[in-house]
Amino acid sequence: MSSILSIKDIDLAKKKVFIRCDFNVPQDEFLNITDDRRIRSAIPTIRYCLDNGCAVILASHLGRPKEIASKYSLEPIAKRLARLMAKDVIMAKDVIMAKDVIGEDAKKKASELKPSEILILENLRFEKGETKNDENLAKELASMADVYINDAFGVCHRAHASVEAITKYFDNANKGAGFLLQKEIEFASNLIKHPARPFVAVVGGSKVSGKLQALTNLLPKVDKLIIGGGMAFTFLKAQGYDIGNSLLEEDLIEEANKILLKGKNLGVKIYLPVDVTAAQTCSQEAVMKYTPVQEIPAGWMGLDIGPASVRLFKEALSDAQTIWWNGPMGVFEIDKFSKGSIKMSHYISESHATTVIGGGDTADVVARAGDADEMTFISTGGGASLELIEGKELPGVKPLTIKDNE
């Protein structure tokens, strides 16, 4: 057995703590934060450090910047965090913003940081070495603090400098997982080991390739599997349907067939769409129509599940005790192709089951549908949550894990 080094086991009193957070939040074109769930999720760990008289240094990435640009700055995040902390009068804190990551300004502010002050470094990905897991960058970041805490589940499947390499510069007594990271890992492992049954997995999104391993791993564990989104067309094609111009991964038709066959042998009921919302182009202006999957016209593509599929999937979910949902049912970013995803979100949120939402786009759908508060658990990381379900060891978690006999 192995266990995770926890923030609770570290002697934090009056120390300087470096917390890797996941503040990669969605913003509109005016850089207003449209969903601050990830920022709110980090507060318990930050608060715990402040309660222990720590000086706190926060680091995160935002987006995928190719160059240093103000639209990728963490300044709006620093402001939002200060506002969220201010709601708790005892903890009301100014958040100091560094102008860089490991430059003169960040170093100076980090060295002068006093107990119970908070400093946010600029976007980690402004440093090329971050995504390359660069040892030098990791060493520079580590030199700012006495303790390292990872609370960024959303990037734990990436071996990045602030996630993986940095852990080499702290011994086991001075590194660990924050509360959010522990909660995520616990939830995913309990979900797979002891789900209340019937356990229904709802899988969508555009590509089979990204979910193949998860589907293979889930099959022996679930009672029903619902497949929607763009990936459903590879399965429909595997069953011999003509799918028009719908999204297809030709090289995975064989794999899709294997999954359908394996499901049959295991007695797992697999549900595919029976109708789709089709159009000739993927745009808000496109003329759309509902069509059975047998009748998708040549030159048209399915962009959402249709009303009959919505009813079928609702029926399949009706007796579920555990529902795990990863991936939207259609191109939900465009209003007219969002109905299937929004309806699924409503049904799942109204269910009496334990409902687990696998982060990323699925979390955006649930927020858009106004159902976030009704879900049992919403993961803060889509890719990481998928890899945990696949049974992989995450590069960000591995260095914080000790064998119990160590």
Side-chain angles (χ1 to χ4, degrees):
M1 282 298 289
S2 57
S3 56
I4 285 192
L5 297 164
S6 163
I7 186 171
K8 283 276 203 199
D9 303 328
I10 301 171
D11 173 17
L12 289 175
K14 306 271 187 291
K15 289 186 179 164
K16 226 170 240 183
V17 182
F18 183 101
I19 308 177
R20 174 52 159 107
C21 300
D22 181 8
F23 292 151
N24 187 24
V25 293
Q27 292 172 296
D28 64 17
E29 67 267 38
F30 307 110
L31 303 185
N32 296 313
I33 296 166
T34 52
D35 179 5
D36 62 8
R37 198 167 36 89
R38 286 180 169 183
I39 304 175
R40 281 180 294 150
S41 302
I43 290 177
T45 299
I46 298 169
R47 188 168 286 154
Y48 180 76
C49 292
L50 295 176
D51 283 347
N52 279 280
C54 301
V56 177
I57 299 167
L58 305 176
S60 174
H61 72 287
L62 179 64
R64 295 181 174 168
K66 294 276 178 278
E67 75 287 303
I68 295 177
S70 58
K71 67 173 175 179
Y72 293 113
S73 170
L74 260 58
E75 199 138 340
I77 285 145
K79 284 181 180 150
R80 178 65 62 95
L81 177 66
R83 205 160 84 219
L84 290 167
M85 300 290 283
K87 286 181 179 167
D88 182 340
V89 182
I90 310 155
M91 282 293 165
K93 289 276 176 288
D94 280 340
V95 176
I96 304 161
M97 181 78 208
K99 291 191 176 76
D100 45 35
V101 182
I102 49 168
E104 216 171 290
D105 190 61
K107 287 273 179 67
K108 184 172 186 294
K109 283 175 175 162
S111 69
E112 291 169 359
L113 202 64
K114 295 183 191 66
S116 78
E117 286 187 335
I118 302 172
L119 169 70
I120 289 198
L121 304 180
E122 198 35 287
N123 192 334
L124 284 166
R125 290 192 184 167
F126 285 170
E127 291 289 336
K128 292 272 184 285
E130 165 65 0
T131 52
K132 296 188 172 72
N133 207 14
D134 181 77
E135 302 263 338
N136 293 330
L137 172 59
K139 196 173 179 178
E140 294 275 0
L141 291 169
S143 71
M144 295 182 187
D146 313 307
V147 173
Y148 171 77
I149 299 295
N150 185 343
D151 212 23
F153 177 69
V155 285
C156 277
H157 60 311
R158 308 260 183 235
H160 286 175
S162 65
V163 178
E164 206 255 353
I166 192 171
T167 57
K168 295 170 189 165
Y169 299 98
F170 296 90
D171 59 18
N172 282 359
N174 291 297
K175 66 181 174 191
F179 297 122
L180 175 63
L181 182 56
Q182 289 175 59
K183 189 169 143 189
E184 289 270 8
I185 291 163
E186 215 168 289
F187 223 96
S189 60
N190 286 342
L191 177 74
I192 285 302
K193 288 188 193 124
H194 322 285
R197 298 192 174 279
F199 176 17
V200 184
V202 181
V203 184
S206 54
K207 290 197 163 39
V208 182
S209 46
K211 310 249 164 99
L212 196 59
Q213 195 53 51
L215 287 174
T216 310
N217 271 32
L218 276 168
L219 271 179
K221 301 184 171 89
V222 299
D223 301 293
K224 301 180 193 182
L225 173 63
I226 294 174
I227 299 173
M231 64 186 289
F233 294 104
T234 303
F235 286 90
L236 290 167
K237 184 76 175 175
Q239 291 192 318
Y241 290 116
D242 193 346
I243 57 169
N245 279 0
S246 306
L247 195 67
L248 172 67
E249 287 171 282
E250 191 90 48
D251 52 333
L252 290 179
I253 290 177
E254 196 49 48
E255 290 293 342
N257 259 325
K258 279 184 194 157
I259 287 171
L260 294 171
L261 189 64
K262 188 178 176 186
K264 198 173 182 181
N265 294 338
L266 288 166
V268 174
K269 296 170 184 66
I270 298 180
Y271 295 82
L272 288 166
V274 289
D275 66 340
V276 296
T277 304
Q280 285 173 302
T281 58
C282 182
S283 69
Q284 183 59 34
E285 292 70 49
V287 175
M288 54 163 256
K289 63 176 174 186
Y290 301 123
T291 162
V293 291
Q294 292 89 336
E295 297 175 24
I296 299 171
W300 289 60
M301 55 182 120
L303 294 164
D304 189 15
I305 56 174
S309 304
V310 169
R311 281 198 296 279
L312 170 72
F313 292 173
K314 180 187 183 183
E315 200 56 45
L317 288 166
S318 62
D319 64 345
Q321 290 299 306
T322 306
I323 301 171
W324 179 74
W325 181 20
N326 190 303
M329 296 290 106
V331 188
F332 76 99
E333 298 86 348
I334 297 175
D335 273 353
K336 56 165 62 170
F337 307 122
S338 69
K339 284 192 181 63
S341 303
I342 300 284
K343 286 236 165 88
M344 282 299 276
S345 174
H346 292 338
Y347 296 148
I348 291 172
S349 72
E350 286 159 10
S351 146
H352 295 297
T354 298
T355 50
V356 182
I357 306 303
D361 284 345
T362 325
D364 292 349
V365 169
V366 169
R368 193 179 284 213
D371 296 326
D373 294 343
E374 303 300 319
M375 301 297 184
T376 312
F377 188 71
I378 300 179
S379 175
T380 51
S385 130
L386 206 55
E387 291 199 8
L388 267 188
I389 298 283
E390 288 171 13
K392 288 186 184 166
E393 197 166 27
L394 306 180
V397 176
K398 193 179 175 183
L400 307 178
T401 309
I402 45 167
K403 301 276 178 285
D404 285 344
N405 54 9
E406 272 181 29

